[in-house]
Structures are given as structure tokens and as C-alpha cells.
Amino acid sequence: MLTHYIQANTNGRLHPASEPSITPLNRGFLYGDAIYEVWRTYGGVIFAWDEHWDRLRASAGALHLPLEQTKEEVLVELRRTVAEYRVHVPDAGELYIRLQITRGAGAIGLDVALADKTNFIILVQPCPELSLEKLNQGLRLSVAKSLRRNPAESLDPAWKTGNYLNNLLCLREAKDRGADDVVILNRDGDVTEASVSNIGFVRGGRLMTPPLSAGILGGITRKLILGGIAKAAGFAADEVRIRPAEFPAMEECFLMSTTKDLVPVCEIDGIRFAVGQNTATNRLKAAFANAARAYAEAHPELAA
Ligand code: PDD
């Protein structure tokens, strides 16, 4: 159910997202034959533009999906979409900007040769915000029992594709148990990530997060935290294998994603973690906010 206005741009045509857009023969719809990226703004500036673009290109390469637009052309289209969104919603705050690219449409069949040409769809809406109450309380997670993260040897979780069924079903299962989000394990029983976020823990004043080899999306938020934000907040950060048996020894847990930055987790299946003012998670979140502010100031050319 749609409760707010979402602006769409289908191959350059601006329209409300509630209106039809692609054909039923679109391969993104039929087979998940698509890739996507999500940017958000800070201070009206598109954050981590290059990093997300590079990941989009990597996903396109993995799917042998030709990108028809250049980086500059995509930026022009993102801006047109944001401008039209602001006509409909003049007082919008920070924005969520999604770029979905599909292989196009054609006769029914898996052969990529049946596809006509790639389609792009841009979606713009407010950047979703957790309530202050939830942010203070922290999220409740539950470990998925019936499904594991798809292994990197099949549909590699490092590719940001239009096929999220595995994560969607894991989330459904966790929500059924009353949790806010899910912890997904790989086939070795190691922690991978949550449904649309990377996961981190704090133990003995050190930050730890599963390595890319666990089979996860290489999140930009995670990368920025490992790449310097943790250090700026005064923490060492490591990529390490984490197993659920270690949860009771962890002091804190948090999720990382573009839309959430960092969100504290208060429990996983009844195992409690510290939340609140004096936590490492809070210091990391503040350091991330500083880095995002500095990025926005340094990149006026990315204002949308
Ligand atoms: N999700 N893991 C998964 C499976 C994700 O889908 C995402 C992002 C992340 C975090 O990556 P990043 O920090 O680059 O946003 C990790 C986006 C935000 C989404 O689907 O809305």
C-alpha cells in the first residue's frame, strides 16, 4: 500500500511511481534480470556517488548487462527526477534515490539474446527514517532458521541484483517471530548480514564485522566505517568470522546501510546488547554523521 508520493523516471519519462511503467515482458519482472543501487542525500547532496556507481558497474559486469548511460548521463537523470519530486513535495527533507536497471523486454525465455535494450527506472522518495524511540531502543533481530544466505558460488550476494527473494523470505520468517530484522547465516553457519544491511558487533572495545568471504554485499556504509570512520571514532575495526555461539560475548551489535547509516541492535533471539548514549555504536554513528556532513560540504557539484 502506497502512503506517500514516489517520483519515477522510466527511461527519461517522468511520472508518479503509482502509474504503470514497464511492460509485463520486462525481464526484471519475469526473472529478476536486473541490478540496482540506492543513494541518499545528506544536506541535499548525493552521498558516496562514486562508490555506488562503481558497485553498479561491478553488478552490471557480473550479469553481463550493458549499461547504456554514462555516469554523467545518469546523474542528469537523477537530478531531473529529484527536481520533479520536489515539484510534488516541496518541503521534502533528505531523499532516497534508487536506480534500477533491467535487461529490457522481449519474447519469453531466459536467453539474454531475447532482450531488446536495457531499461532504467529511477525512484525518488523521502529517505526513510526510524522513529527516535526505535533508534533509542534498538532493533530486535532473529536468526533465520529455514534459509541460508545464497552462497557466493551461485547468485553472489556481492552483486546488487533485482533478486532479493532469499533475503525477503528470511525477513518474513524473522518478522513472524516478532523481530524487526533478520540475521542470515551462510552454509557454514557463520553470520553474513541482515535483510538489507550489513551487521557489526563490538567486543572489548573493538568493532568486528563479517568478511566479504562470508558471502555478503560489500556495503558502502560498512566500507566507509572500516576505511576510516571507525578509526576517527577511536576504534579498531576487524573483519572476522562470527558465529551465533559468540553472540553472548558481544557487548554491542548494530546494522549498517545507506538509508540507516548505523542503527543499534538491542537483541538477537533474546541475547541482549548494550544500547544508549554511552555506547561505541553511538560514537560511531556520530563519527559517520560528521563524515557525511564533510562529504556534502566537499561535493557541492553533487547537489540534487
Ligand atoms: N541495501 N546488505 C544488503 C543485502 C543490502 O541490500 C544493503 C543495502 C546493504 C548495505 O549496503 P550499503 O551500505 O551500500 O547501503 C547490505 C539498500 C540500502 C536497499 O536495498 O535499500
Side-chain angles (χ1 to χ4, degrees):
M1 205 173 53
L2 203 52
T3 55
H4 58 275
Y5 183 80
I6 303 178
Q7 182 64 50
N9 174 345
T10 303
N11 298 322
R13 182 175 70 84
L14 297 165
H15 61 96
S18 53
E19 289 178 0
S21 158
I22 53 173
T23 110
L25 293 175
N26 190 281
R27 300 173 63 94
F29 169 66
L30 290 177
Y31 318 120
D33 192 0
I35 55 171
Y36 80 103
E37 270 303 322
V38 174
W39 285 267
R40 62 153 294 165
T41 62
Y42 282 102
V45 168
I46 302 172
F47 182 63
W49 167 242
D50 289 338
E51 288 83 349
H52 286 275
W53 178 261
D54 291 347
R55 189 170 64 189
L56 182 80
R57 287 194 45 184
S59 301
L63 269 61
H64 305 273
L65 187 84
L67 288 182
E68 308 272 346
Q69 283 80 29
T70 64
K71 190 176 180 184
E72 292 69 31
E73 286 166 349
V74 167
L75 186 56
V76 168
E77 290 298 331
L78 294 186
R79 283 218 177 89
R80 281 185 67 224
T81 320
V82 167
E84 184 66 14
Y85 175 76
R86 291 195 200 282
V87 170
H88 292 268
V89 188
D91 55 353
E94 302 293 357
L95 301 178
Y96 167 107
I97 304 171
R98 183 181 182 115
L99 171 64
Q100 196 92 19
I101 296 179
T102 85
R103 205 185 300 272
I108 295 171
L110 294 190
D111 187 351
V112 296
L114 296 171
D116 49 13
K117 77 193 261 296
T118 59
N119 292 168
F120 73 83
I121 297 179
I122 298 165
L123 297 171
V124 173
Q125 64 168 4
C127 187
E129 279 188 26
L130 272 185
S131 70
L132 211 57
E133 193 192 354
K134 200 77 211 166
L135 256 183
N136 290 335
Q137 275 175 3
L139 300 176
R140 293 171 55 223
L141 309 186
S142 181
V143 177
K145 293 187 174 63
S146 57
L147 287 172
R148 298 285 170 105
R149 194 81 174 89
N150 35 309
E153 294 78 12
S154 49
L155 193 66
D156 191 338
W159 309 340
K160 203 158 170 58
T161 77
N163 195 321
Y164 262 58
L165 261 184
N166 200 75
N167 296 26
L168 179 156
L169 292 174
C170 288
L171 178 65
R172 189 212 64 84
E173 187 201 307
K175 288 235 166 189
D176 237 19
R177 289 196 283 275
D180 299 303
D181 207 329
V182 65
V183 180
I184 313 176
L185 308 181
N186 63 21
R187 294 192 334 146
D188 296 330
D190 296 345
V191 172
T192 64
E193 55 189 338
S195 60
V196 285
S197 311
N198 292 118
I199 192 165
F201 294 87
V202 179
R203 181 157 123 190
R206 295 180 80 79
L207 189 164
M208 45 188 84
T209 188
L212 297 177
S213 59
I216 60 173
L217 182 74
I220 308 296
T221 316
R222 171 188 180 279
K223 184 173 157 188
L224 295 174
I225 289 169
L226 285 174
I229 292 175
K231 196 167 171 219
F235 297 102
D238 302 310
E239 296 176 81
V240 285
R241 232 180 126 180
I242 299 166
R243 302 179 77 87
E246 296 169 74
F247 290 164
M250 300 294 185
E251 289 134 24
E252 295 175 40
C253 176
F254 57 90
L255 296 188
M256 299 169 265
S257 84
T258 294
T259 53
K260 296 183 187 74
D261 63 87
L262 277 86
V263 177
V265 169
C266 65
E267 70 153 271
I268 303 178
D269 293 320
I271 298 165
R272 305 284 308 181
F273 305 104
V275 291
Q277 282 305 312
N278 297 319
T279 54
T281 303
N282 243 29
R283 274 165 58 197
L284 280 165
K285 194 172 171 64
F288 194 90
N290 285 340
R293 209 173 302 120
Y295 182 96
E297 280 167 16
H299 292 282
E301 79 285 3
L302 294 174

